[in-house]
Amino acid sequence: TFDAQLVLEPTVLAQIAVQWPGHQPRELLRDLPAESATEETWLALPAEAEETEPGFQHYPVAGLPLWRDKGITVRVLIGRAFGLESPVRTASPTTYLDLQLEAGATLELPALAPDLALYVASGNPALNGEPLPTFHLALLDSGAAFSLTASTGPARLMLLGGEPLPG
């Protein structure tokens, strides 16, 4: 099972560790403060990888790439973004980013994968000018670039997706 632990605090990313045991990928994002939410994400395997031998890999936070610019912090948990590549390997192309935007910050993102979604963990950001409520998942148009703005205060989101699996 794949466990990624993400400690969420009001404005500071305290710790991330990605652990990859076996071949039934699972991402568990767990936070310690009582006021925080818990999310869990499961990744599907391509048919050819379903019967492979399990293994285990641990990726400490220090090895997960971080990109910062003008009030924006992006941690590349899985995949590639901003010229950075996560060391975490998956059975199929996957994108998983931790996005943090300070109040007033805008992030312009190209289409990083054919299938993408944004989960709003905190704040009330806007996607291409449309408000996104906290604790909601927004499916993005396939292959489309987008603009994400934290106009009313800081926001924290997870961008996740990848290549569609056959079948």
Side-chain angles (χ1 to χ4, degrees):
T1 310
F2 173 94
D3 289 337
Q5 295 181 347
L6 171 64
V7 179
L8 299 175
E9 294 182 1
T11 58
V12 178
L13 178 64
Q15 237 179 47
I16 297 178
V18 176
Q19 297 177 11
W20 189 271
H23 286 285
Q24 293 181 355
R26 179 181 131 213
E27 289 203 38
L28 173 64
L29 282 68
R30 186 175 55 196
D31 38 0
L32 301 179
E35 63 276 3
S36 299
T38 300
E39 302 102 32
E40 185 170 307
T41 303
W42 293 78
L43 303 177
L45 285 172
E48 64 273 8
E50 288 178 354
E51 300 300 324
T52 56
E53 284 296 314
F56 180 86
Q57 298 172 8
H58 176 80
Y59 301 91
V61 67
L64 299 174
L66 189 66
W67 180 86
R68 290 189 172 121
D69 187 43
K70 299 176 186 164
I72 300 165
T73 302
V74 177
R75 174 84 58 183
V76 183
L77 301 175
I78 300 174
R80 296 178 186 153
F82 302 99
L84 303 172
E85 182 175 354
S86 170
V88 177
R89 296 291 162 242
T90 57
S92 63
T94 303
T95 300
Y96 212 130
L97 307 178
D98 173 16
L99 310 175
Q100 296 180 65
L101 285 75
E102 294 176 8
T106 297
L107 175 62
E108 302 290 339
L109 267 175
L112 297 172
D115 291 340
L116 286 173
L118 275 169
Y119 176 75
V120 182
S122 65
N124 292 294
L127 174 64
N128 296 332
E130 296 294 322
L132 290 176
T134 306
F135 308 126
H136 281 73
L137 183 72
L139 299 179
L140 304 178
D141 291 334
S142 183
F146 64 92
S147 176
L148 189 60
T149 304
S151 54
T152 63
R156 186 151 196 190
L157 305 95
M158 298 304 290
L159 176 71
L160 59 149
E163 297 287 331
L165 295 177

